[in-house]
Amino acid sequence: MKKTTLLKFFPLMIFAGMIIYFRMDLLLAAPIATFAAIGVYMFTQHSGFDGAFSHGLAAASSITMVFFVLMFAYGVAECFMATGVGAALINLSLRLGVTGRTIAPVTLLFTSILSLATGSSWGSFAACAPIFLWLNHLTGGDVRLTLCAVAGGACFGDNIGMISSVTVLSCSLQDVSVLDRTRHQSVWCLLCLLLSLLLFLWAGWGLPHTAVDTSGALEAIPQPALDALSLRRPSAMALMQQVQSGVPLYMVLPLLLVISMSFQGCHTLLCLGAGMVSSLLLGMAAGTISLSSWLEDLLFKGFTDAGSWTIIMMMWVAAFGGVMNGMDAFAPLADLVARRSKNVQQLMGWCGVLCFVGNMALADESAQVTTISPIVRDMVEKNVVCENREDAYTLRMRLSVLTSSMGVYGSQLIPWHCYPVFFASIANTVYPICTFTPFDIIRRNYLSFLIVGSLLLLTFTGWDRAIPFFALPKGVKLKKR
């Protein structure tokens, strides 16, 4: 029995090894791991290929709606980056008159707002890193402190944003509304952001507090750094050019429109569609975009980027998780967690730990969300008795938060994860004066530590009841064994 149990974990070991040790792209690693899981399923369950693959096919089919939302989310990200929405937000920050003491918290705040607007953590980091690192250079701030502020803020939209692919995916896999999930975690997320701002301000308190002219921040960036960024992240380069040339302040309206429609309960596709159309209309008025460019460059590129990698990758990762769950590969682990939990709070806390461990093993937040979400949902549904559907729904909302937060912000605490590796690579490209490593992203990343640490602590202890909208239901209990 033990040999069979260990054999069922073999595909996950293959998956993790290909990503971490061989640095294989997830689009290749996921299909290989899926066929390895199918082989183990056929051996352990005495089944044919069709029986094994049917579990993967069912899992991929269950997230079809996500694929449509992802295409729209990628389209919105391209529109907001290119039409001037992102540039308008950054220009607001440059008008604040930052100093060496305040550059890090200002960076965190406005990078968080930009990531909320675009739903793209990688795009937000690539756009903000050159601006704020060189602005830090002018003000005499701590460059590594500012770097951590950019990294933490760049993921804020992926954690709570309504147009983020990770948020949409985690909500879909738990069958919860993105709006309900956002409301559930809103106060907690904002408190973490506020505490992080205070920590960054405290960490830079001894730095220069003399105001300097920040109008030349973009001119201070060397041309080789800009050339390198244009190759690595063309959309970020376009945004920076708009920051330099200036855009009307009303270009922030598409972001406000998406947020307001979301809170009114509109369908996610309608919210995203309104964001794309409004950015076109206002961008045409501002002279930043034309109809043909909006169609052929932005929407086409956004839909193509989603379909060429993200959607295909998620199909294979979902299939992998479906086959693994079909043979109950994680049942012993789930049983161990359930036995060690004395109440529902502890069970939910251990689900968060499993999400973080899964992120360490897969080194990709989307793969973790897709693979671990069905596991923790099955654990909770099999071991928790709920008085009504509302209580079960609240538990699924917390699972959605756990999977995405441990995926997005947990990634920034894992040195071999794709997030800190990418962030360090971009930082070295746009600010060649210093050499950055993934550990520089981790050491003073206060927002990531607060998000991960507080989420686990509040969930394990039940102190989440002190946070508005964030408490787990009282009418739930573990099933008797």
Side-chain angles (χ1 to χ4, degrees):
M1 185 66 179
K2 290 184 179 180
K3 291 182 178 179
T4 303
T5 301
L6 292 175
L7 181 61
K8 291 179 180 179
F9 274 97
F10 184 64
L12 182 61
M13 297 177 187
I14 294 177
F15 202 172
M18 287 187 294
I19 295 173
I20 296 175
Y21 295 106
F22 295 102
R23 302 291 183 184
M24 187 178 293
D25 190 281
L26 196 59
L27 194 59
L28 293 175
I32 296 174
T34 300
F35 280 103
I38 290 174
V40 173
Y41 183 101
M42 294 170 62
F43 178 78
T44 59
Q45 308 301 309
H46 308 289
S47 169
F49 178 86
D50 290 341
F53 189 66
S54 64
H55 292 283
L57 187 61
S61 301
S62 67
I63 61 171
T64 303
M65 182 59 190
V66 178
F67 302 152
F68 291 97
V69 175
L70 282 175
M71 287 190 291
F72 270 52
Y74 271 65
V76 169
E78 289 295 327
C79 289
F80 282 10
M81 292 280 280
T83 59
V85 177
L89 293 171
I90 292 177
N91 280 332
L92 280 175
S93 69
L94 296 179
R95 295 175 184 176
L96 293 181
V98 294
T99 66
R101 179 183 297 180
T102 61
I103 178 63
V106 168
T107 297
L108 174 65
L109 177 61
F110 280 90
T111 307
S112 297
I113 296 174
L114 180 65
S115 68
L116 191 66
T118 62
S120 171
S121 52
W122 287 29
S124 297
F125 185 92
C128 290
I131 295 172
F132 287 108
L133 289 180
W134 285 101
L135 188 58
N136 175 92
H137 183 79
L138 293 177
T139 58
D142 185 325
V143 66
R144 286 178 170 79
L145 185 67
T146 301
L147 175 66
C148 288
V150 179
C155 289
F156 190 76
D158 261 349
N159 189 46
I160 193 175
M162 288 164 280
I163 61 175
S164 162
S165 59
V166 177
T167 304
V168 171
L169 177 63
S170 61
C171 289
S172 175
L173 291 171
Q174 298 297 335
D175 290 329
V176 298
S177 162
V178 176
L179 176 59
D180 292 339
R181 144 79 186 274
T182 301
R183 183 177 182 272
H184 174 69
Q185 70 175 117
S186 57
V187 176
W188 163 69
C189 279
L190 292 175
L191 286 174
C192 288
L193 180 61
L194 177 60
L195 289 174
S196 298
L197 290 171
L198 295 175
L199 285 173
F200 275 107
L201 183 62
W202 168 79
W205 194 254
L207 296 171
H209 192 48
T210 304
V212 298
D213 182 14
T214 60
S215 60
L218 294 176
E219 287 78 1
I221 304 176
Q223 189 59 43
L226 294 176
D227 294 338
L229 181 63
S230 65
L231 294 175
R232 297 288 302 278
R233 208 74 181 180
S235 58
M237 188 61 200
L239 186 149
M240 290 180 60
Q241 291 171 348
Q242 289 180 350
V243 171
Q244 191 166 16
S245 60
V247 294
L249 187 58
Y250 60 70
M251 287 307 303
V252 302
L253 291 178
L255 168 63
L256 300 180
L257 177 62
V258 171
I259 294 175
S260 63
M261 288 183 62
S262 298
F263 277 99
Q264 290 174 16
C266 295
H267 193 281
T268 304
L269 289 179
L270 291 178
C271 297
L272 299 177
M276 289 187 288
V277 173
S278 61
S279 66
L280 164 66
L281 297 177
L282 293 176
M284 291 175 66
T288 59
I289 198 70
S290 65
L291 177 60
S292 59
S293 179
W294 181 76
L295 287 172
E296 298 172 7
D297 297 335
L298 303 185
L299 294 193
F300 183 79
K301 184 179 187 306
F303 290 177
T304 301
D305 286 348
S308 65
W309 191 86
T310 304
I311 291 178
I312 299 174
M313 177 274 295
M314 286 184 177
M315 289 178 61
W316 280 109
V317 173
F320 170 78
V323 176
M324 294 290 284
N325 289 328
M327 60 181 169
D328 288 330
F330 303 104
L333 183 61
D335 185 65
L336 175 64
V337 169
R339 289 181 181 277
R340 295 186 66 87
S341 302
K342 297 180 181 180
N343 51 49
V344 175
Q345 294 280 166
Q346 291 185 12
L347 178 64
M348 298 295 287
W350 282 114
C351 286
V353 173
L354 286 179
C355 292
F356 186 80
V357 173
N359 207 18
M360 294 177 64
L362 298 173
D364 184 271
E365 75 289 346
S366 295
Q368 180 271 132
V369 170
T370 308
T371 303
I372 305 298
S373 287
I375 298 172
V376 294
R377 179 175 178 174
D378 186 64
M379 286 172 51
V380 172
E381 291 178 346
K382 286 183 176 179
N383 291 282
V384 178
V385 178
C386 298
E387 292 184 351
N388 50 57
R389 292 182 178 180
E390 288 74 16
D391 289 347
Y393 188 78
T394 302
L395 292 180
R396 296 203 306 274
M397 281 197 296
R398 178 60 60 83
L399 290 177
S400 176
V401 174
L402 287 168
T403 52
S404 67
S405 295
M406 292 299 157
V408 173
Y409 276 109
S411 67
Q412 297 199 45
L413 306 179
I414 303 170
W416 59 84
H417 197 282
C418 62
Y419 262 108
V421 171
F422 171 79
F423 288 171
S425 174
I426 288 292
N428 286 321
T429 297
V430 301
Y431 194 76
I433 295 177
C434 293
T435 300
F436 302 104
T437 69
F439 289 99
D440 291 319
I441 307 293
I442 298 173
R443 289 190 180 96
R444 304 172 81 177
N445 199 327
Y446 300 127
L447 185 54
S448 293
F449 282 113
L450 278 173
I451 290 286
V452 172
S454 66
L455 181 56
L456 291 177
L457 179 65
L458 293 172
T459 303
F460 266 115
T461 61
W463 294 344
D464 52 7
R465 59 182 175 270
I467 309 294
F469 313 124
F470 203 51
L472 291 180
K474 295 181 179 179
V476 294
K477 58 184 179 180
L478 292 179
K479 292 181 180 179
K480 293 182 179 181
R481 290 183 173 273

